[in-house]
């Protein structure tokens, strides 16, 4: 059924303006005066505007209230009213405890297997000059991640590295001081970012919805400044701010950016979405109101997805385009919109998992080393997510499909004719195809 002019203008008011319900009726803002409002009684179809009081018409303000109250119609003509929302049941998410327990019991043993497989795809850089032969790149990265996973100092991690050498995952153990020097190496930063992406690829068929947010990791360093207003010297911890995109099903990190600690959140969303879209199919992206902008809605749409970003209280939707369409969707389908928006809670869970398991602070003091340590935390988190997915979903972890692996030169101990069984093989995991 076609609408008349007043109904069309009422629909626009309902979509772009905020209508308030009071004891004496609905308050509808005027379209000509910013401070003026009209009181509407929908039962009597009356309004205090001149169009109704002087001419007796059913004005656009009455239609705006009608559209605000009426949200959806059933095919039989019945109407759903959103005057009140009563939640009759509580939705709960059950944990697959047998798979969870299985993953936790084999995680430490399985972690080294997956990490070694990831590091095996790293190409050894060409040696320049003379001097002592450097450690293999895959050994250095393995040692860095192993230190962060164990949450121990570099020296106390040497015993774990010696055990990794016996299992054939490292060619030799690296002394603690050399491991610390690896964290200080700026060339490790792009390598760790690349490994984070590689560790997420086995889950590309599962993750199509993503959440984006940022969080900080504190350090033992302090920054001091003089407060001119109060004439005192203030100080606070130096911290590393990480921006991530994470899948909402397995909490795996698909993209990460670490910039200045004062870098804004909103400008980082397009880069995170584009990096994720290189390897994943994007259906939805959710984030809080700090990311709500026209550019971010369009960036997600350009990657083939729909952005569910919270709107600020003063948003009107007048910008039009995708931003305006999503704002109208939010106005008329709030319950459905919020249900999909609240998938962003998973990115909070991701940061909580990382900080509870690997610490919410960094031990390194050098700026480059602090960034590399945070990246190692995220790499360890992704490997743990893979182990959980293997036990729960039967995922097969395959890395470096498009690149040939470097030939292994790792020396193994002589065997007695019977290969040692890992803890994974001892478990009843016949449904899982191990690497």
């Amino acid at each position: 059924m076609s609408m008349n002019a007043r109904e069309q203008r009422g629909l626009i008011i309902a979509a772009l303006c905020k209508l308030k319900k009071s004891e004496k009726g609905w308050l509808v803002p005027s379209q000509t005066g910013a401070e003026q409002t009209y009181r509407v009684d929908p039962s009597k179809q009356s309004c205090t505007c001149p169009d109704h009081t002087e001419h007796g018409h059913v004005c656009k303000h009455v239609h705006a209230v009608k559209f605000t109250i009426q949200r959806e119609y059933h095919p039989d003509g019945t109407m759903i009213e959103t005057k009140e929302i009563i939640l009759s049941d509580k939705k709960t998410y059950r944990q697959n405890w047998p798979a969870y327990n299985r993953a936790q019991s084999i995680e430490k043993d399985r972690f080294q297997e997956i990490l070694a497989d990831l590091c095996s795809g790293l190409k050894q850089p060409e040696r320049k000059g003379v001097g002592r032969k450097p450690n293999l790149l895959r050994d250095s990265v393995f040692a860095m991640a192993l230190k962060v996973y164990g949450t121990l100092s570099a020296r106390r991690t040497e015993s774990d590295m010696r055990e990794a050498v016996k299992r054939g995952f490292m060619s030799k153990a690296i002394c603690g001081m050399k491991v610390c020097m690896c964290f200080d190496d700026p060339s490790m930063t792009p390598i760790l970012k690349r490994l984070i992406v590689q560790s997420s690829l086995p889950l590309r068929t599962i993750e199509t919805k993503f959440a984006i947010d940022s969080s900080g990791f504190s350090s033992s360093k302090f920054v001091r400044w003089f407060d001119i207003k109060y004439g005192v010297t203030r100080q606070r911890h130096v911290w590393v701010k990480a921006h991530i995109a994470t899948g909402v099903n397995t909490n795996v990190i698909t993209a990460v950016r670490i910039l200045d600690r004062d870098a804004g959140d909103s400008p980082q969303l397009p880069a995170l979405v584009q990096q994720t879209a290189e390897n994943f199919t994007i259906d939805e992206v959710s984030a809080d109101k700090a990311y709500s902008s026209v550019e971010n809605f369009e960036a997600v749409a350009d990657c083939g997805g729909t952005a569910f970003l919270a709107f600020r209280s003063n948003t009107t939707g007048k910008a039009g385009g995708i931003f305006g369409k999503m704002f109208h969707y939010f106005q008329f389908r709030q319950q459905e919109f919020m249900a999909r928006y609240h998938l962003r809670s998973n990115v909070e869970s991701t940061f909580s998992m990382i900080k509870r398991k690997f610490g919410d602070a960094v031990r390194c003091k050098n700026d480059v080393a602090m960034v590399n340590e945070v990246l190692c935390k995220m790499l360890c988190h992704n490997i743990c997510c893979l182990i959980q997915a293997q036990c729960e979903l039967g995922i097969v972890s395959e890395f470096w499909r498009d690149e040939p692996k470097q030939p292994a030169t790792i020396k193994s101990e002589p065997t007695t004719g019977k290969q040692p069984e890992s803890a994974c093989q001892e478990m009843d995991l016949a449904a899982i195809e191990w690497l």
Side-chain angles (χ1 to χ4, degrees):
M1 185 178 68
S2 61
M3 296 184 180
N4 58 39
R6 288 186 175 86
E7 288 177 324
Q8 293 176 358
R9 289 195 292 269
L11 181 61
I12 295 175
I13 294 174
L16 301 181
C17 302
K18 294 186 178 297
L19 282 63
K20 297 182 180 179
K21 185 179 181 181
S22 64
E23 296 179 355
K24 299 182 179 180
W26 288 78
L27 298 179
V28 182
S30 171
Q31 302 301 290
T32 56
E35 302 296 332
Q36 187 176 5
T37 59
Y38 299 113
R39 183 175 288 107
V40 175
D41 186 345
S43 60
K44 299 179 181 179
Q45 292 194 345
S46 62
C47 180
T48 57
C49 71
D51 189 30
H52 178 77
T53 56
E54 296 178 6
H55 305 288
H57 296 302
V58 179
C59 63
K60 59 184 179 181
H61 307 107
V62 175
H63 289 300
V65 172
K66 181 186 69 174
F67 287 124
T68 301
I69 296 175
Q70 300 176 163
R71 295 301 190 187
E72 301 177 2
Y73 286 94
H74 288 304
D76 59 358
T78 58
M79 179 180 64
I80 298 176
E81 295 187 357
T82 57
K83 296 179 180 179
E84 293 184 5
I85 298 178
I86 300 176
L87 301 178
S88 58
D89 58 347
K90 181 180 179 180
K91 190 174 182 180
T92 59
Y93 300 90
R94 297 182 60 84
Q95 175 72 273
N96 186 346
W97 288 111
Y100 177 82
N101 294 335
R102 206 179 305 137
Q104 292 293 297
S105 63
I106 66 173
E107 182 185 280
K108 187 174 181 180
D109 190 63
R110 186 66 180 145
F111 176 86
Q112 294 190 16
E113 297 179 19
I114 297 179
L115 179 59
D117 194 31
L118 273 169
C119 295
S120 66
L122 298 176
K123 297 180 179 180
Q124 183 69 18
E126 296 182 3
R127 184 183 179 189
K128 298 180 180 179
V130 296
R132 180 178 295 180
K133 186 177 180 180
N135 295 312
L136 294 178
L137 178 60
R138 62 171 174 265
D139 286 347
S140 300
V141 176
F142 189 97
M144 293 169 64
L146 193 62
K147 173 189 177 299
V148 172
Y149 178 78
T151 66
L152 300 174
S153 65
R155 286 185 291 267
R156 295 166 68 189
T157 308
E158 290 185 26
S159 60
D160 293 332
M161 286 189 281
R162 288 192 291 268
E163 184 64 26
V165 172
K166 294 179 181 179
R167 299 184 63 192
F169 299 141
M170 296 181 70
S171 61
K172 67 174 184 178
I174 304 176
C175 70
M177 293 303 297
K178 289 289 185 180
V179 176
C180 294
M181 293 173 62
C182 293
F183 280 99
D184 294 334
D185 188 356
S187 65
M188 287 293 184
T189 302
I191 294 174
L192 292 172
K193 288 183 178 180
R194 189 181 177 195
L195 287 179
I196 291 173
V197 173
Q198 281 293 327
S199 63
S200 68
L201 296 186
L203 301 174
R204 69 173 77 186
T205 58
I206 298 175
E207 297 292 1
T208 59
K209 300 178 182 180
F210 304 90
I212 292 176
D213 204 355
S214 66
S215 185
F217 295 81
S218 64
S219 70
S220 58
K221 294 175 61 178
F222 287 87
V223 58
R224 293 179 175 84
W225 72 95
F226 183 76
D227 194 325
I228 299 177
K229 181 177 180 180
Y230 296 100
V232 295
T233 300
R234 301 184 183 274
Q235 67 178 14
R236 67 177 178 181
H237 280 284
V238 174
W239 48 285
V240 182
K241 187 176 183 181
H243 308 261
I244 67 170
T246 180
V248 302
N249 292 319
T250 62
N251 295 102
V252 69
I253 296 174
T254 59
V256 57
R257 301 195 76 191
I258 299 181
L259 304 173
D260 183 75
R261 64 176 181 268
D262 297 322
D265 290 347
S266 183
Q268 316 312 323
L269 186 141
L272 293 172
V273 172
Q274 291 168 8
Q275 184 178 353
T276 301
E278 293 176 1
N279 304 296
F280 290 80
T281 300
I282 297 180
D283 289 340
E284 296 180 11
V285 175
S286 54
D288 60 29
K289 63 179 65 176
Y291 296 88
S292 181
S293 68
V294 175
E295 295 77 12
N296 288 344
F297 275 96
E298 293 177 351
V300 177
D302 292 340
C303 294
T306 303
F308 289 89
L309 313 179
F311 293 99
R312 297 180 176 88
S313 59
N314 59 349
T315 302
T316 62
K318 294 181 179 180
I322 299 175
F323 184 91
K325 291 179 180 178
M326 292 305 298
F327 182 74
H328 297 163
Y329 178 33
F330 167 72
Q331 289 290 87
F332 288 97
R333 299 284 190 275
Q334 287 191 19
Q335 197 167 358
E336 180 181 345
F337 182 97
M338 295 306 293
R340 302 170 82 170
Y341 159 74
H342 278 301
L343 290 176
R344 68 160 297 276
S345 302
N346 289 275
V347 72
E348 304 288 354
S349 300
T350 299
F351 278 119
S352 176
M353 293 165 67
I354 296 173
K355 293 183 178 182
R356 284 188 293 109
K357 199 163 192 176
F358 309 115
D360 59 354
V362 291
R363 297 185 177 212
C364 299
K365 295 179 173 60
N366 180 279
D367 290 340
V368 174
M370 289 191 295
V371 171
N372 288 338
E373 185 176 351
V374 172
L375 291 175
C376 283
K377 290 177 185 286
M378 296 181 179
L379 175 60
C380 294
H381 165 78
N382 272 12
I383 295 177
C384 293
C385 291
L386 275 179
I387 297 171
Q388 180 67 34
Q390 286 175 344
C391 293
E392 187 171 353
L393 306 173
I395 296 298
V396 179
S397 300
E398 296 181 3
F399 309 109
W400 311 107
R401 290 183 177 180
D402 302 329
E403 300 181 34
K405 293 184 179 180
Q406 295 295 300
T409 59
I410 300 176
K411 298 179 181 180
S412 59
E413 293 188 342
T415 61
T416 59
K418 181 181 179 181
Q419 296 294 331
E421 294 183 350
S422 66
C424 305
Q425 294 169 325
E426 296 174 1
M427 303 297 294
D428 185 16
L429 301 177
I432 302 176
E433 181 182 357
W434 297 111
L435 293 173

